[in-house]
């Protein structure tokens, strides 16, 4: 086909579902401490994974890590969302352990605003997190991509590869799953959910709500 490209074309990103990443470094001693806690306090152990209860944010042992996570959330709210809000809280926090071939299927985090996965102890071969395009009409297209890599607005999903001590923050409504751990070593992650607090919305527009 003898058609020339027009180099003046620009892409205007419209309504993307953004993810936010930030490193949250830990010392080896801190990392070992949190893993030992998970190993000593598993609540749900099945073919999918092992988990703690979702109340780690209330544990004194996790106070320092909680403050680091709050910094990530605050940075996102202030620099990325531009929302007018009173405050926020991490309402749930829990640890996960995936052994060989374990993963968790597609899901969301209902009744929350933001959620996160923190790669506590992982390597590149242990599988990452897959996020799915929320546009249902994207499933109408089934086209191959050049070099097996599509542009994000047209991709059905993207995968965040596991990077040790990296935190991925995302909208709680965004559907996601984890890839199976294909190694003989456990993959450890920490997840949490965020709620906005105080006054939200505009009373005159009938969008007002308050959460203490």
């Amino acid at each position: 086909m003898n058609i020339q490209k027009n180099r003046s074309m620009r892409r205007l990103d419209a309504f993307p579902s953004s993810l936010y990443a930030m490193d949250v470094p830990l010392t080896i001693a801190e990392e070992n401490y949190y893993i030992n806690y998970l190993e000593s306090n598993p609540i749900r152990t099945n073919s999918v994974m092992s988990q703690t209860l979702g109340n780690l944010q209330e544990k004194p042992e996790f106070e320092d890590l909680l403050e680091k996570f709050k910094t990530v959330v605050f940075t996102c709210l202030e620099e990325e969302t531009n929302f007018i809000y009173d405050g926020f809280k991490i309402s749930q926090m829990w640890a996960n352990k995936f052994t060989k071939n374990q993963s968790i299927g597609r899901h969301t985090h209902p009744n929350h605003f933001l959620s996160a996965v923190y790669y506590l102890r992982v390597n590149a071969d242990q599988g990452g997190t897959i996020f799915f395009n929320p546009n249902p009409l994207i499933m109408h297209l089934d086209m191959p991509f050049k070099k097996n890599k599509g542009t994000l607005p047209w991709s059905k999903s993207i995968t965040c590869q596991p990077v040790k001590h990296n935190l991925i923050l995302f909208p709680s409504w965004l559907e996601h799953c984890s890839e199976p751990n294909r190694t003989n070593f456990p993959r450890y992650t920490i997840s949490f959910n965020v709620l906005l607090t105080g006054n939200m919305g505009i009373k005159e527009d009938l969008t007002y709500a308050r959460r203490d």
Side-chain angles (χ1 to χ4, degrees):
M1 193 183 310
N2 188 21
I3 301 176
Q4 299 298 315
K5 295 180 181 178
N6 187 331
R7 298 296 180 180
S8 65
M9 177 177 286
R10 295 176 298 119
R11 187 178 74 205
L12 304 178
D13 291 327
F15 312 118
S17 300
S18 298
L19 310 177
Y20 308 97
M22 185 178 291
D23 290 330
V24 181
L26 295 177
T27 65
I28 294 178
E30 289 173 324
E31 178 184 310
N32 288 335
Y33 175 82
Y34 296 129
I35 289 175
N36 289 336
Y37 185 95
L38 170 58
E39 294 288 359
S40 302
N41 296 274
I43 298 300
R44 182 172 66 179
T45 301
N46 52 37
S47 60
V48 176
M49 68 172 79
S50 297
Q51 285 182 319
T52 66
L53 284 177
N55 62 350
L56 297 186
Q57 77 282 0
E58 301 172 358
K59 303 293 184 181
E61 298 92 333
F62 286 82
E63 183 176 354
D64 290 343
L65 186 59
L66 181 67
E67 292 305 312
K68 293 179 180 180
F69 289 166
K70 286 180 178 178
T71 298
V72 177
V73 175
F74 179 75
T75 302
C76 177
L77 290 174
E78 291 294 313
E79 296 187 1
E80 297 294 336
T81 69
N82 290 320
F83 285 133
I84 298 174
Y85 70 101
D86 288 347
F88 70 89
K89 66 178 180 181
I90 293 179
S91 57
Q92 292 180 311
M93 189 167 87
W94 63 97
N96 312 290
K97 174 186 176 182
F98 299 86
T99 57
K100 187 173 182 178
N101 295 325
Q102 287 188 325
S103 65
I104 188 169
R106 294 174 68 153
H107 65 284
T108 62
H109 293 217
N111 303 322
H112 287 86
F113 179 66
L114 291 171
S115 297
V117 57
Y118 176 64
Y119 298 112
L120 178 59
R121 179 178 290 173
V122 297
N123 64 52
D125 298 321
Q126 290 186 313
T129 305
I130 303 174
F131 293 92
F132 298 94
N133 192 330
N135 180 0
L137 298 181
I138 202 68
M139 301 306 294
H140 179 67
L141 291 172
D142 192 8
M143 300 288 292
F145 290 113
K146 297 177 182 177
K147 300 180 181 179
N148 295 320
K149 184 178 182 181
T151 55
L152 290 182
W154 297 98
S155 298
K156 295 178 182 179
S157 66
I158 62 169
T159 301
C160 292
Q161 297 299 333
V163 178
K164 184 177 179 179
H165 298 168
N166 188 240
L167 186 149
I168 306 295
L169 193 66
F170 55 92
S172 298
W173 49 260
L174 187 60
E175 196 173 21
H176 57 286
C177 70
S178 69
E179 294 182 309
N181 178 6
R182 298 304 188 189
T183 74
N184 293 317
F185 303 97
R187 177 180 70 210
Y188 295 94
T189 64
I190 294 177
S191 300
F192 64 81
N193 291 326
V194 178
L195 290 172
L196 295 182
T197 60
N199 298 304
M200 293 171 283
I202 303 172
K203 291 183 177 180
E204 293 76 11
D205 292 342
L206 304 180
T207 60
Y208 175 78
R210 179 175 177 82
R211 178 184 289 116
D212 295 320

